Amino acid sequence: MAQHNPWPDEGNTGHIWDEDLRELDNPPPLWWMLAFYAGFVMIVFYALYYPTIPWTNSHYEGMSGWTQVEEYKEDYQVLKDWRDQKFAQEEEQLAALPLKEIIENDELRTYAVKTSKVLFGDYCAACHGAGGQGNPNFPVLADDDWLWGGKVNQIYTAIEKGRIGNMPARGMMGNLNDQEVEQVADYVIALSNGNGDDPSVSAGKAVYQKGMCLACHGPQGKPLAPNGATNLTDQIWRFSGERDEVIKTIKYGVMVKKDGELIENTRQAVMPAFAERLPDADVNMKRLAVYVHSLGGGQ
Amino acid sequence: MDTTVKPQYNDGVVKYLAVGAITFLVLGTLMGTFAAAQLAWPALNFDIAEITFARLRVMHTNTVIFAFGGMTLMATAFYTVQRTNGVKLWSNGMAWVTAILFTIGLLLVVVTISLGMTTGKEYHEQEWPLAIAIALVWTLYTLNFVMTIASRNKETHPNVYVSNWFFLGMMIAITYLYVVNGLAIPVSLFRSYSLFGGVQDAMIQWWWGHNAVGFFLTAGFLGIMYYFVPKQAQRPIYSYRLSVIHFWALMFGYVWLGAHHLQYTALPDWTGSLGAVISLAMIIPSWGGALNGMLTLSGAWDRLRTDYILRFLIISLAFYAMATFEGPVMAAKTVNALSHYTDWTVGHVHSGALGWVAMVSIGALYHMVMKLWNTEMYSMKLINFHFWLATIGTVFYIVAMWVSGIMQGLMWRAYDEYGTLAYTFAESVAAMHPYYVMRTVGGLLFFSGAVVMLYNVIMTIRTANARQEAGVAANA
């Protein structure tokens, strides 16, 4: 049926829907048509230039021979060449010299520190803070209080192999009762305030002996050699100095396991080993050790 | 043909879907705004797993794309297919079943994501029982649409109107893309593993992922554009031939684009190049749609001053043209190397989603509300207010993400005088903060606009009902 067309002069196609819905018989704009065809031409050239066409077991490689892996390698090579040309000597020395010599060499130490910023920021800062200032439950690196020693070799070992803290729950023998735990907590808090000899905490002092806390923390609350145990005589706390938190640490210990699983409420103290994690680990672990050593407290 | 008798259509289900779509627009943009705020101020995660950013972002995308977008597509398809074919729906009952089940399905999708159940596939997070249910509902929707077209009077309606082509193309493409990407081996009621492995899985995922954009959010909404722009402007479509060419170009072109999401990955080189070049070739076909819509206004541009609904429709085409240029540029390898994984991608998606999809939907929904309830809007001023909230909100959002995205990309690749990276990742995150705040403001403006719309529509419906009751009373 020929449709009734109330708009015979506007150049519509003669199809009308829903009373007034209609289309004009205009051609598409010329520029649009030309651009549309240009698109096809572009596809052909692009497809010839780049790898685009799959065969059954391989693919057409394109006239450019472009591959993304090659592009990456070339970009990387440009950077590497530039670095080699400028810093080859520093990099060689960093790789060859022992850490002790690196930190004594002003220029080399400065170079290691300057090239560590992002390495530290991307691999270490999540736990230890952007400037090594620490985070709750993660140790500060920018002070001179060291759990595992502040010599550059000791820092290197920590980075290379990681560290796992450890403290038994309720004393070495696990035999302190709740009251004794509270007493020894009061004692170590007093210790950190310089009041360890105050008569009010003498009961706790006795528990400190009974629980054999001294085995790791030392007879005076200070480890005799770096062993991962905290120095209890300063105001720096590995976890927290709040009384309830100190009690919690003593009650549940650090990394205490039962049947291979961590018990509830035990403190966690794990630093992963970075030997397998860092890119170019051989030299980058040294770089980071020098950097951490330079943060303020290196010994 | 007697044109004085207005045909009766099944509009009840359309009314339900239209109000549902607007409600989901409010909910979805609220979620998005809150997720944006969480990025700016992480404390807003409140350590509650169910609303952390990781889940809320996905709840947001599903609510806006599939709940709001899907209900808009159903409302407009059911509305236009009846009018352009001059018949009632093939099955009104089936349309109601489709609409209700789709609503329940999408609510369950959002709830299960909040509870942490996910396939991990973007835009396809729902686990297999829900995915099957949604595919079945979608099939009912498609069947009803096809059968309605088939049941038209071929003498009075010898030709099928262009909006129907786009709707149908969208339905068919979405069905096979969604089903293939969803193929999985269930191991329990809410756990399944994709049938594909490794890079093939990634490719299938983005074959679907990009076409959730290309077909669901583009072809379907072009169907909306082709009906509501000429209707609202009361002008004929500019060029029939243009609509034919760009329709087929989009239908054949879009399915090739997915690989551009995987440039510089384990994906074979040829696949990425192919994705990139077809993406670039899609600029002109995409512009065909924008052009056809805009040229439809020739001779009626003055209407934009007075017709606020038309403003939504036309600005949506401007954003569509911009986003379909930006996307292919980002698909090109050199640009992609900078833009990939940055906020620029997020900004690009939103210039399409807010600027194009939401704006054209809002225009169509206002138009439909007035027709469906046979009334003027409660307040035209509020529509204008909504228009400015939505437009300024979208611009805020896009500009913030352009700046932050490009800055991110540049910071990640910057080297210092020692040839080592200049910035840590955390520094690039910190640098984003002001833009994340700006984005939140943009989102808040857009969300406020949606609230204004919901209010305006509710008041329109209430006053329309009151008027009808008054009319009935006067007649009695």
Side-chain angles (χ1 to χ4, degrees):
Chain A
M1 176 184 120
Q3 284 175 297
H4 172 63
N5 188 349
W7 302 272
D9 301 325
E10 68 176 7
N12 62 41
T13 56
H15 311 149
I16 294 159
W17 301 266
D18 196 17
E19 297 177 3
D20 59 352
L21 213 48
R22 59 207 192 275
E23 302 156 324
L24 299 182
D25 200 20
N26 289 325
L30 180 66
W31 69 265
W32 188 86
M33 278 315 293
L34 292 176
F36 184 69
Y37 292 130
F40 286 97
V41 177
M42 179 202 66
I43 292 177
V44 172
F45 279 100
Y46 192 104
L48 288 174
Y49 189 72
Y50 282 110
T52 28
I53 307 160
W55 313 132
T56 42
N57 281 316
S58 63
H59 61 84
Y60 168 66
E61 288 177 3
M63 295 187 310
S64 63
W66 176 90
T67 68
Q68 54 187 5
V69 172
E70 274 311 309
E71 183 186 330
Y72 163 74
K73 283 183 181 164
E74 278 166 25
D75 276 6
Y76 183 75
Q77 197 59 43
V78 170
L79 180 67
K80 193 170 180 303
D81 290 347
W82 183 80
R83 294 205 70 212
D84 283 352
Q85 176 214 333
K86 272 191 103 163
F87 304 110
Q89 198 198 342
E90 285 88 342
E91 287 294 321
E92 269 168 37
Q93 286 182 326
L94 219 49
L97 293 179
L99 283 161
K100 235 180 136 39
E101 282 179 44
I102 296 171
I103 56 172
E104 281 162 5
N105 177 334
D106 281 351
E107 252 172 65
L108 201 52
R109 188 184 63 237
T110 309
Y111 174 77
V113 168
K114 294 270 187 195
T115 52
S116 291
K117 184 199 144 204
V118 169
L119 213 53
F120 186 85
D122 284 345
Y123 287 91
C124 317
C127 296
H128 293 292
Q133 78 276 28
N135 271 316
N137 295 329
F138 294 99
V140 178
L141 300 177
D143 61 13
D144 56 2
D145 186 51
W146 297 93
L147 294 163
W148 303 92
K151 296 204 173 70
V152 68
N153 284 318
Q154 292 166 319
I155 297 171
Y156 180 87
T157 308
I159 297 169
E160 183 191 19
K161 303 200 161 130
R163 297 287 192 193
I164 299 178
N166 237 309
M167 177 171 123
R170 297 180 185 270
M172 276 285 268
M173 312 304 289
N175 60 352
L176 302 184
N177 62 31
D178 283 358
Q179 192 198 355
E180 288 168 325
V181 167
E182 286 189 31
Q183 285 169 339
V184 79
D186 288 332
Y187 171 65
V188 297
I189 291 169
L191 253 186
S192 93
N193 292 328
N195 303 328
D197 292 328
D198 198 290
S200 66
V201 292
S202 58
K205 193 172 183 178
V207 178
Y208 186 80
Q209 309 290 332
K210 179 191 170 195
M212 296 205 244
C213 310
L214 71 164
C216 297
H217 291 285
Q220 311 298 328
K222 208 171 167 180
L224 298 175
N227 59 9
T230 40
N231 177 351
L232 299 170
T233 62
D234 59 21
Q235 299 219 329
I236 300 168
W237 293 90
R238 174 65 181 83
F239 299 103
S240 166
E242 298 288 320
R243 187 170 182 270
D244 286 350
E245 295 294 316
V246 175
I247 291 171
K248 183 179 163 190
T249 309
I250 300 169
K251 246 185 187 169
Y252 301 101
V254 179
M255 300 299 291
V256 175
K257 289 183 178 178
K258 200 180 169 192
D259 302 329
E261 300 276 337
L262 289 177
I263 65 165
E264 208 179 326
N265 287 329
T266 192
R267 301 283 185 188
Q268 296 193 34
V270 177
M271 164 152 160
F274 279 85
E276 307 279 323
R277 286 170 183 249
L278 282 174
D280 301 325
D282 290 347
V283 66
N284 278 340
M285 288 194 298
K286 287 172 107 174
R287 218 191 290 273
L288 279 173
V290 173
Y291 180 78
V292 172
H293 185 262
S294 77
L295 281 176
Q299 291 159 355
Chain B
M1 187 171 74
D2 188 358
T3 51
T4 54
V5 177
K6 278 213 164 192
Q8 293 297 306
Y9 299 127
N10 299 128
D11 282 340
V13 67
V14 181
K15 287 180 178 176
Y16 165 79
L17 286 163
V19 174
I22 298 167
T23 311
F24 276 122
L25 177 66
V26 171
L27 287 175
T29 50
L30 175 64
M31 289 178 194
T33 306
F34 195 72
Q38 286 177 326
L39 281 185
W41 300 285
L44 292 174
N45 284 284
F46 299 120
D47 270 349
I48 302 169
E50 285 75 12
I51 60 151
T52 48
F53 177 79
R55 295 188 191 175
L56 193 63
R57 191 201 78 93
V58 183
M59 289 154 69
H60 158 67
T61 54
N62 276 281
T63 308
V64 290
I65 300 172
F66 298 109
F68 163 68
M71 288 185 89
T72 304
L73 285 172
M74 288 186 175
T76 51
F78 285 151
Y79 180 88
T80 59
V81 75
Q82 299 184 73
R83 282 161 177 78
T84 56
N85 291 286
V87 284
K88 289 187 177 191
L89 288 173
W90 180 62
S91 166
N92 189 38
M94 190 193 271
W96 271 107
V97 170
T98 307
I100 303 284
L101 288 183
F102 192 75
T103 317
I104 296 170
L106 261 298
L107 287 172
L108 285 175
V109 166
V110 173
V111 170
T112 52
I113 290 166
S114 178
L115 295 175
M117 298 164 192
T118 170
T119 61
K121 288 193 155 196
E122 193 158 18
Y123 309 135
H124 204 306
E125 288 88 355
Q126 57 278 15
E127 272 294 354
W128 66 276
L130 271 173
I132 292 174
I134 287 172
L136 289 175
V137 172
W138 190 258
T139 312
L140 291 184
Y141 168 53
T142 307
L143 180 70
N144 209 352
F145 187 84
V146 172
M147 293 310 291
T148 303
I149 296 177
S151 67
R152 75 189 191 281
N153 179 338
K154 292 178 187 68
E155 296 210 340
T156 56
H157 291 78
N159 304 87
V160 176
Y161 184 60
V162 48
S163 61
N164 294 299
W165 318 341
F166 277 98
F167 277 122
L168 193 53
M170 179 270 295
M171 289 171 195
I172 293 169
I174 288 299
T175 306
Y176 72 75
L177 289 155
Y178 183 82
V179 169
V180 173
N181 186 46
L183 292 176
I185 302 166
V187 291
S188 71
L189 190 57
F190 281 104
R191 193 90 198 91
S192 66
Y193 291 93
S194 173
L195 199 60
F196 310 98
V199 72
Q200 286 171 350
D201 188 44
M203 184 60 241
I204 296 281
Q205 155 60 30
W206 282 108
W207 179 60
W208 150 254
H210 191 82
N211 287 304
V213 181
F215 283 98
F216 200 85
L217 296 182
T218 301
F221 289 81
L222 281 171
I224 295 177
M225 186 282 280
Y226 268 113
Y227 180 88
F228 290 94
V229 168
K231 268 288 178 187
Q232 186 68 26
Q234 294 171 318
R235 298 278 308 158
I237 285 290
Y238 173 74
S239 168
Y240 170 67
R241 274 178 272 172
L242 180 55
S243 60
V244 176
I245 300 172
H246 94 97
F247 171 76
W248 286 111
L250 288 182
M251 288 297 131
F252 280 117
Y254 251 120
V255 281
W256 296 85
L257 308 191
H260 72 215
H261 288 258
L262 297 165
Q263 306 272 32
Y264 299 104
T265 65
L267 196 75
D269 291 326
W270 69 265
T271 328
S273 309
L274 196 56
V277 68
I278 306 288
S279 301
L280 285 163
M282 281 297 107
I283 296 177
I284 296 300
S286 301
W287 281 6
L291 206 58
N292 219 357
M294 287 202 177
L295 290 177
T296 294
L297 239 64
S298 3
W301 286 102
D302 56 301
R303 275 176 199 272
L304 282 181
R305 265 193 318 209
T306 48
D307 187 340
Y308 302 133
I309 297 174
L310 196 58
R311 280 189 190 174
F312 272 107
L313 296 170
I314 295 305
I315 201 159
S316 80
L317 289 170
F319 276 114
Y320 175 60
M322 190 190 75
T324 51
F325 176 76
E326 185 186 30
V329 168
M330 292 167 78
K333 294 175 200 294
T334 19
V335 181
N336 195 267
L338 176 78
S339 75
H340 204 180
Y341 309 116
T342 70
D343 290 331
W344 189 358
T345 309
V346 184
H348 166 65
V349 170
H350 281 84
S351 67
L354 299 176
W356 156 238
V357 173
M359 297 279 203
V360 77
S361 303
I362 290 165
L365 285 163
Y366 277 129
H367 177 102
M368 282 199 301
V369 165
M370 298 206 298
K371 298 281 179 193
L372 289 168
W373 278 274
N374 193 22
T375 177
E376 288 298 307
M377 286 302 293
Y378 168 72
S379 165
M380 274 295 171
K381 274 191 185 150
L382 282 180
I383 297 187
N384 191 29
F385 185 48
H386 180 192
F387 173 80
W388 287 110
L389 285 173
T391 305
I392 295 170
T394 305
V395 171
F396 255 67
Y397 193 113
I398 302 173
V399 170
M401 292 298 95
W402 274 336
V403 178
S404 90
I406 293 172
M407 196 160 101
Q408 248 176 338
L410 292 174
M411 283 179 87
W412 290 345
R413 59 161 63 166
Y415 289 106
D416 59 17
E417 70 264 42
Y418 291 94
T420 54
L421 287 174
Y423 302 102
T424 62
F425 183 75
E427 282 172 321
S428 78
V429 175
M432 296 305 109
H433 181 72
Y435 307 101
Y436 285 0
V437 174
M438 187 174 162
R439 183 218 336 238
T440 309
V441 173
L444 200 60
L445 289 172
F446 200 93
F447 162 70
S448 312
V451 173
V452 169
M453 180 184 195
L454 183 62
Y455 169 76
N456 200 358
V457 167
I458 290 173
M459 293 309 289
T460 303
I461 295 170
R462 286 181 58 179
T463 51
N465 288 345
R467 202 174 314 153
Q468 271 161 18
E469 277 162 26
V472 171
N475 287 343

